[in-house]
Amino acid sequence: MTHANRFLNIMISQAIGESIPNNTEHAVSVTLPTWEATVGYEEGEEWVVSKMNSGYPRFFIHSIIQQLASNITAKYGRTGEQCMVFSSYNISKRCRDFIYSKTPANTAKPTVRVLKLSTVPPRTDLEKSTVVETSIGVIFFPPAVFTLAKAYWQHSGEGISSRLAEYLLKHLFPQSTHKVDVTGDTKAEIQARRIQKISPSINTPTVSKRRDDEDTTMFIDQKFGRILDLKFAPAAKIALKRRIIGNIEELDLDLNKIRENTKKFDADDVYLYPSGMASIFNCHQALLSAFPPQKSVCFGFPYVDTLNILKKFGPGVHFLGLGDDQSLAELEQNLSNGMKISGLFCECPSNPLLKTPNLKKIRALADTYDFAVVVDDTVGNFINIHVLPYADMVCTSLTKVFSGDSNVMGGSVVLNKETRKYAQLKKYFTMHYEDVFWAQDALVMERNSRDFAERSRKVNENTQEIVNFLKNCSLISKVYYPSLSDTKNYYDDIKTQNGGYGGLISFIFHDPNDAITFFNAMNFHKGPSLGTNFTLACPYTILAHYGELEEVEKWDIDRNLIRISVGIEDKKELVEVMEKSLEVTLNSRRDS
């Protein structure tokens, strides 16, 4: 069964808090079917949060992870302690250091303990299919500093995956059951997250109605060829690296157009991470460690946690939120006057305004003033755009269109061996890189990404149809898309020969009430994330910036902005959904 047919046959849930895709144990998104439900979630309203059975993994801790943490606390914790589980001992120590760094100077440092736990290796060749030796780090802390620990979990993206937690429960606590319910966020936790951007406690006792029994799970695995033979995980990771770097090379059809003397890139310069945010976080850590620590620049308005990383770890950030030519000219002036920066971080194009930075100019400034360039190409994706010649490091969230199935997290970093900073960066990654991308996640990611290029082309085609519809809708005041932006020429400079403009669209209405009506009427999946094989919509500013709506408007982020990530469904069906939503909106206007 093809991806397209499979997703056309999935029922679109309108039930608050259900996983997206429906009935998916390790889902990446969650249903918030109306504008009011999204606001209610952000406000911590009981009618919403009590129904939250799933969530985006960096914000909503999976029930299986909660159960693992509960078991570890019961066995190894001290009275009054909570714990959080990370993919390695070193990551747990980084979380501890973060807690200490954010503890006020006039306050006694909290008691924070770090524990390393390991599972046994396979004892026979037969066991190699189901048993992997692995180690994790556990951090114990008093409840008073929980929000700091959770902030690290969210910002760094280095928490364990639900599949790893499932494996650890089975091997560390073989007598325990982990068929538990997911708890919803409490109102207090939601309100705290509005300020701190944190998510629910992993230690709250929980109980779930969602988990299928093992027989059903096995049937699904067999039906879709998803049996996870762990002995193939190393080969899957090699395949992923080659797929990432191979796509880059295959699309390298006219390198002279982009940059002269570009060499072939090596799969050894690809590093895999448990999430896209972890890849950005580790690029930032590399700059802080391999070079004298300086402030960085965030060029353009980015996804919220990219800016959080740059703000909260290290010396700080110069935020150039408009990301336009004038901002770049101001940066050049400041650099010429002696300002020092360690690196410039940017998205290509940006989320949610779909602006493309002038990478040629940024690369020239980097070479002149000796700073690194870190480009997040997730929204564009490396089938459509080729940014590596301009970057020292390229970060990608593999969770998005590379995977498409919305059932696994992952990220990657690619180093550019042409730049002057390559040797120092390579030395850092050689010495400090930890492969904490869990074996089962790698196997699922490898499977999902086999038809990445085909799906990307389909998404490009479908999205153009939606863009055409939105452009001709009189109720809409602005459509954001790379081909419509005044930065289109910068996108075209890096667009591959057969590439398109991607699957993400944002738009705003003249009347905010129309935005609400239109969004509620859309018969699409609705929730966080992007790059899914199915079309996914959200009131982006409400969902990502509810606690700072006035602040983000300074950077042209309208509070009523709607974002759609277009999938691979039949394009006629997609347009029909949009037309019906418009009809409902027009009827609502006539009735009011």
Side-chain angles (χ1 to χ4, degrees), residues 414-531:
V414 181
L415 303 184
N416 182 356
K417 63 177 57 180
E418 287 189 59
T419 68
R420 293 195 301 248
K421 295 189 178 295
Y422 172 78
Q424 290 163 284
L425 290 171
K426 187 66 176 179
K427 180 180 178 181
Y428 171 85
F429 280 93
T430 300
M431 293 178 61
H432 298 286
Y433 173 73
E434 289 185 289
D435 181 4
V436 293
F437 191 31
W438 173 234
Q440 291 170 309
D441 293 321
L443 287 163
V444 174
M445 183 67 75
E446 191 281 323
R447 171 76 181 191
N448 290 356
S449 61
R450 290 177 188 175
D451 59 353
F452 166 45
E454 175 188 349
R455 288 185 288 106
S456 178
R457 285 190 286 271
K458 178 64 173 175
V459 166
N460 290 340
E461 293 173 5
N462 284 353
T463 307
Q464 190 57 57
E465 292 293 318
I466 301 298
V467 168
N468 292 340
F469 170 86
L470 293 171
K471 285 194 306 181
N472 294 318
C473 179
S474 61
L475 303 185
I476 292 174
S477 62
K478 188 164 186 179
V479 180
Y480 300 91
Y481 192 60
S483 65
L484 303 179
S485 172
D486 57 8
T487 62
K488 178 180 181 293
N489 57 316
Y490 299 141
Y491 189 100
D492 288 343
D493 283 341
I494 55 175
K495 189 165 75 72
T496 59
Q497 187 176 64
N498 297 313
Y501 293 95
L504 203 64
I505 315 167
S506 298
F507 54 99
I508 54 178
F509 284 79
H510 293 288
D511 185 341
N513 292 319
D514 289 341
I516 296 172
T517 304
F518 188 90
F519 179 81
N520 290 349
M522 283 193 296
N523 190 29
F524 293 141
H525 286 288
K526 298 172 190 176
S529 197
L530 59 91

Side-chain angles (χ1 to χ4, degrees), residues 14 25 67 140 152 212 223 260 314 355 367 380 451 467 470 537 574:
Q14 297 299 322
E25 183 63 57
Q67 183 65 66
F140 296 90
Y152 183 87
D212 297 320
K223 183 176 181 180
E260 293 182 355
K355 292 182 178 180
D367 291 340
D451 59 353
V467 168
L470 293 171
L574 294 177

Side-chain angles (χ1 to χ4, degrees), residues 1-47:
M1 183 178 290
T2 66
H3 271 297
N5 289 335
R6 179 146 49 88
F7 277 93
L8 284 172
N9 290 328
I10 287 180
M11 182 180 297
I12 295 175
S13 175
Q14 297 299 322
I16 293 170
E18 289 299 305
S19 66
I20 306 175
N22 304 345
N23 302 314
T24 300
E25 183 63 57
H26 305 285
V28 167
S29 191
V30 62
T31 302
L32 290 168
T34 64
W35 197 287
E36 293 82 2
T38 307
V39 172
Y41 175 73
E42 293 295 334
E43 290 282 2
E45 295 293 336
E46 183 68 15
W47 67 276

Side-chain angles (χ1 to χ4, degrees), residues 351-412:
N351 177 18
L353 297 186
L354 288 311
K355 292 182 178 180
T356 304
N358 184 348
L359 289 184
K360 286 184 177 180
K361 179 66 172 180
I362 289 171
R363 181 72 256 169
L365 291 177
D367 291 340
T368 301
Y369 295 103
D370 193 32
F371 61 85
V373 178
V374 183
V375 180
D376 179 354
D377 70 346
T378 300
V379 172
N381 90 56
F382 49 75
I383 293 293
N384 290 323
I385 58 175
H386 184 36
V387 302
L388 189 57
Y390 302 106
D392 295 271
M393 295 179 279
V394 175
C395 305
T396 306
S397 175
L398 305 179
T399 310
K400 308 305 191 297
V401 69
F402 186 81
S403 167
D405 274 341
S406 190
N407 63 355
V408 65
M409 301 277 281
S412 66

